[in-house]
Amino acid sequence: MDSGIGPGAHTSLGKFLKSLSFYALVLVTVLILGFILTEMLPKQVVKSPDGSWVKARLSTDTTSVFYWSIRPKWLPPELNNELSGPAKSVLKKRIWKEGNGKAWLAWDRRLREVLAGSLLPQHGQALQSLRFMEDRKQLKEQLFLLPDSLTKVLLPLPSPKNENTMSLAFAWNSNNRFDQWMFGSKNQQGIWQGNLGWSKTFQKPVLEVIQSHAPLSIGLSLTSLILGLCLGLVFGIWQVSRPYWQWLQVGLLSIPSFAMGTVLLWLFANPDVLDWLPTGGVAPPGGLSVDTGNFAASWGKIKYLVMPLICFSYGSIASFALLSQNHISQLTKEAWFATAKAKGLSQRRALWVHAVPNALPLLQTRFFQSLPFVLSGSVVLETLFSLPGLGAVGVKAVFNQDQGLLIGLLMAAALLTLLGFLISDGLQYLLDPKGRKPMKP
């Protein structure tokens, strides 16, 4: 039975599902890298379940790192949950030398019970020192110096046991630091509850810093991309029959954004040339006057974004114009385009009705894949024009060594990149005419 769906639809859907699984894997990788970077930080301010912020590590050291772990079979799995610090390291070395890990862990438990309930405080330091002795002979000598009531509990020492030190075992750890970092615990909230850490630069949560500065960066990025797509498509179509204008796009693409910004500042924000626009910021230092009319108030805000928007947009316009011109020029050589013109369509109508729809999948792919790159480019332009966006926040975080804020910004940029590619692949599947072409009976 004819399904009415073209064979390309199954291919497009398969590619989209493969992309979806790949992005899921990349997302997990990004989260793991963010967790590793967070684990490398010293104690910092974290959000507790009651909403207060306290100075602590983002997760406890007494649990395993991840859901799965590979450990030597001779090493007791309970060791990571019961011990930490130097005592844990010494006990591991002792077990590595002599084997019999479970017996040594049981002996360390007895020692901890003695330390917790010892009625002889003068021997507390001597008992504590036992936990940091690797050598069996040294341990025995120290034990014989203690009262008989203590040595009876701690002797005999576990006997050596030959074990295969290369034998490994897989372990499942339901209680682990990555799970606490992701989903929270009784001591802290996880990143899914909005706990991205604390910014020492702004003295507030990283999520609030991103939320307060993201609208400007995202607004400029989206506006510049929309302008680039619309104007670039128009210029690209106009230049299909005028390929000699390609040098203009190539020339614009070769100009760095900071150089363009510097020229615009010298030309339009210079009292000695044309003092038409402000040098930076988003509003006058004292704010707009209450007597300012609607048009004057709107222009008073817009003029601060004219030069930044030009610097954000010119590269996108040139890139989309070059891409659309080259792609549409190739489409005009197809047989179906010649057939459309033979039926009486003008060159312009044939381009807009037939060539442009076939070029949209490629253009929208470039559009969404450009989102993270435009945002990263805002670092230079926002600093140049003194704009309080995410790019300027990143510069402040670097100079102030604000590791928590930097990790939050990097994760936000990575997630935005994944989102852009995912939307791009989804729309390409929906817009691809080959995937929706009905099969002929």
Side-chain angles (χ1 to χ4, degrees), residues 144-352:
F144 285 130
L145 297 177
L146 298 174
D148 292 342
S149 59
L150 297 178
T151 55
K152 288 179 181 178
V153 178
L154 298 174
L155 284 175
L157 294 175
S159 57
K161 183 179 179 181
N162 293 327
E163 299 190 54
N164 183 10
T165 57
M166 299 304 293
S167 181
L168 300 176
F170 291 89
W172 169 261
N173 312 301
S174 58
N175 184 26
N176 59 81
R177 298 206 292 273
F178 181 76
D179 185 85
Q180 294 177 5
W181 179 76
M182 283 282 295
F183 305 107
S185 65
K186 64 179 181 179
N187 298 320
Q188 69 177 56
Q189 291 186 353
I191 62 171
W192 290 116
Q193 289 87 30
N195 180 18
L196 295 180
W198 182 266
S199 170
K200 66 179 183 181
T201 303
F202 295 89
Q203 289 300 305
K204 59 182 179 180
V206 170
L207 184 61
E208 291 185 13
V209 176
I210 294 177
Q211 288 175 340
S212 60
H213 293 81
L216 179 62
S217 296
I218 294 176
L220 282 172
S221 301
L222 286 177
T223 305
S224 66
L225 278 177
I226 292 172
L227 283 175
L229 177 60
C230 297
L231 297 179
L233 180 59
V234 171
F235 290 149
I237 294 174
W238 180 75
Q239 291 181 127
V240 167
S241 57
R242 303 170 182 85
Y244 45 84
W245 281 99
Q246 271 196 356
W247 64 267
L248 181 59
Q249 290 102 314
V250 176
L252 287 174
L253 289 173
S254 63
I255 301 175
S257 58
F258 70 87
M260 177 67 78
T262 305
V263 172
L264 292 176
L265 284 171
W266 174 82
L267 187 60
F268 295 107
N270 186 355
D272 298 328
V273 187
L274 297 174
D275 192 12
W276 292 352
L277 299 172
T279 57
V282 292
L288 294 173
S289 173
V290 293
D291 299 328
T292 306
N294 291 334
F295 176 78
S298 300
W299 172 246
K301 296 178 181 178
I302 293 174
K303 67 180 182 180
Y304 282 88
L305 302 177
V306 171
M307 289 191 293
L309 195 56
I310 292 174
C311 290
F312 270 87
S313 302
Y314 79 90
S316 298
I317 295 172
S319 176
F320 280 111
L322 194 61
L323 180 65
S324 58
Q325 178 191 357
N326 292 335
H327 189 52
I328 293 175
S329 296
Q330 293 296 324
L331 292 175
T332 56
K333 299 176 183 178
E334 299 287 340
W336 53 263
F337 188 82
T339 303
K341 291 186 66 178
K343 290 182 178 181
L345 290 180
S346 65
Q347 173 81 1
R348 179 182 299 179
R349 184 169 177 79
L351 286 173
W352 282 103

Side-chain angles (χ1 to χ4, degrees), residues 70-125:
I70 303 176
R71 61 173 181 82
K73 283 187 177 180
W74 45 267
L75 195 65
E78 303 88 354
L79 188 144
N80 287 328
N81 296 327
E82 294 186 22
L83 299 175
S84 62
K88 174 181 173 181
S89 176
V90 170
L91 187 58
K92 278 186 175 181
K93 292 179 181 178
R94 198 183 295 157
I95 296 173
W96 179 272
K97 286 182 180 179
E98 302 196 7
N100 207 358
K102 291 185 178 180
W104 274 112
L105 184 59
W107 181 85
D108 191 80
R109 290 193 191 112
R110 294 201 305 271
L111 177 57
R112 279 178 275 153
E113 290 172 359
V114 171
L115 281 167
S118 177
L119 300 177
L120 302 172
Q122 66 271 25
H123 296 290
Q125 187 174 358

